[in-house]
Amino acid sequence: SDSFTADTPEGKFPVRNIIAKYPGTKDGIIVIAGHYDTNYPLRNTAYVGANDGGSSTAILLEFANHLRGKKREGYSVWLVWTDGEEAIKQWSETDSVYGTRHLAEKWQKDGTLKKIKALFVMDMIGDADLNIDRESNSTPWLLDLVQQAAARTGYQSHFFARTAAIEDDHLPFAKLGVPVADIIDLDYGYGNVFHHTPQDTLDKLSPKSLEIVGNTILETL
């Protein structure tokens, strides 16, 4: 794991990224990341975070099931459960993505960053009404690969009907030149009414949505 103490608007805060590494036959790394923390400003409410925190945590666990026990043909795959993605008070460049900002800097210093061929972020991918955004801070050729994979798996209707610029765990890596793709459906409920509310509960989600995203990303790999 990668543990450190972050400086936040509410003082010192422990942050812990969890990393699982699956070796491949080729030199190079593909990172799949997703945050497991839930929304701190709502910590005094009955906030579950089923989609925002839960879905990304779950899909990474299922990727682990598919990757474990065999050396894959191709690049190594690293799964990263990121912490501190959410703002402590109000989303800004300094109050957000604490975990990945730290990890990007650490990997730049130790030389890991140069080996990363692509980084995917999974976020809010459990919505029963699944429409993944074409995220415009992401690397176009990598999104094109995802789109081709979705077409091959027959899931293209769930991908990229909308375009949106979204700030997420991929940005610290994008700034350092890593090819990135943010896989996210930011329209959660009509007009996004469930996002960052106590209504983010399991009944809004579908296992089918996790399967669609999971199979598409495995096909992309």
Side-chain angles (χ1 to χ4, degrees):
S1 77
D2 167 48
S3 304
F4 65 102
T5 304
D7 287 311
T8 82
E10 293 193 358
K12 303 272 187 207
F13 216 77
V15 179
R16 186 176 187 194
N17 300 310
I18 299 162
I19 304 162
K21 301 176 180 179
Y22 299 89
T25 56
K26 280 170 73 179
D27 196 26
I29 302 159
I30 297 170
V31 177
I32 308 177
H35 73 100
Y36 70 92
D37 61 308
T38 52
N39 193 266
Y40 292 110
L42 293 174
R43 60 189 175 272
N44 298 322
T45 72
Y47 184 69
V48 179
N51 196 25
D52 197 8
S55 69
S56 44
T57 308
I59 201 166
L60 261 64
L61 289 169
E62 188 54 27
F63 285 144
N65 283 337
H66 285 265
L67 293 164
R68 82 162 52 98
K70 55 188 182 293
K71 194 163 191 175
R72 60 182 306 272
E73 289 298 318
Y75 299 123
S76 298
V77 176
W78 290 9
L79 302 179
V80 184
W81 286 262
T82 70
D83 192 11
E85 184 265 349
E86 300 282 9
I88 301 295
K89 273 196 167 160
Q90 180 71 47
W91 187 281
S92 70
E93 206 162 295
T94 52
D95 186 11
S96 66
V97 300
Y98 292 93
T100 42
R101 279 191 282 141
H102 183 265
L103 205 52
E105 191 181 327
K106 178 179 165 178
W107 283 350
Q108 186 183 36
K109 280 182 185 150
D110 70 11
T112 302
L113 204 72
K114 290 197 292 288
K115 297 179 186 155
I116 300 175
K117 303 298 181 182
L119 177 133
F120 296 91
V121 169
M122 307 287 114
D123 198 359
M124 296 178 67
I125 44 83
D127 189 353
D129 176 25
L130 183 70
N131 294 290
I132 299 293
D133 296 284
R134 189 173 173 100
E135 197 287 306
S136 52
N137 293 317
S138 295
T139 308
W141 67 259
L142 199 49
L143 293 180
D144 291 344
L145 282 188
V146 174
Q147 192 154 21
Q148 289 157 23
R152 284 199 299 277
T153 45
Y155 298 134
Q156 64 268 37
S157 64
H158 296 281
F159 284 82
F160 303 161
R162 294 187 306 254
T163 300
I166 298 166
E167 297 185 2
D168 207 343
D169 269 331
H170 61 315
L171 290 187
F173 295 95
K175 283 174 185 161
L176 296 173
V178 175
V180 295
D182 191 23
I183 307 300
I184 184 168
D185 173 359
L186 198 57
D187 192 27
Y188 183 35
Y190 185 74
N192 201 25
V193 290
F194 304 142
H195 185 216
H196 285 176
T197 73
Q199 276 69 55
D200 182 4
T201 48
L202 207 55
D203 55 301
K204 318 295 192 310
L205 272 51
S206 165
K208 184 73 188 164
S209 296
L210 270 76
E211 184 184 12
I212 288 166
V213 174
N215 286 341
T216 302
I217 295 304
L218 287 173
E219 176 66 25
T220 307
L221 287 187

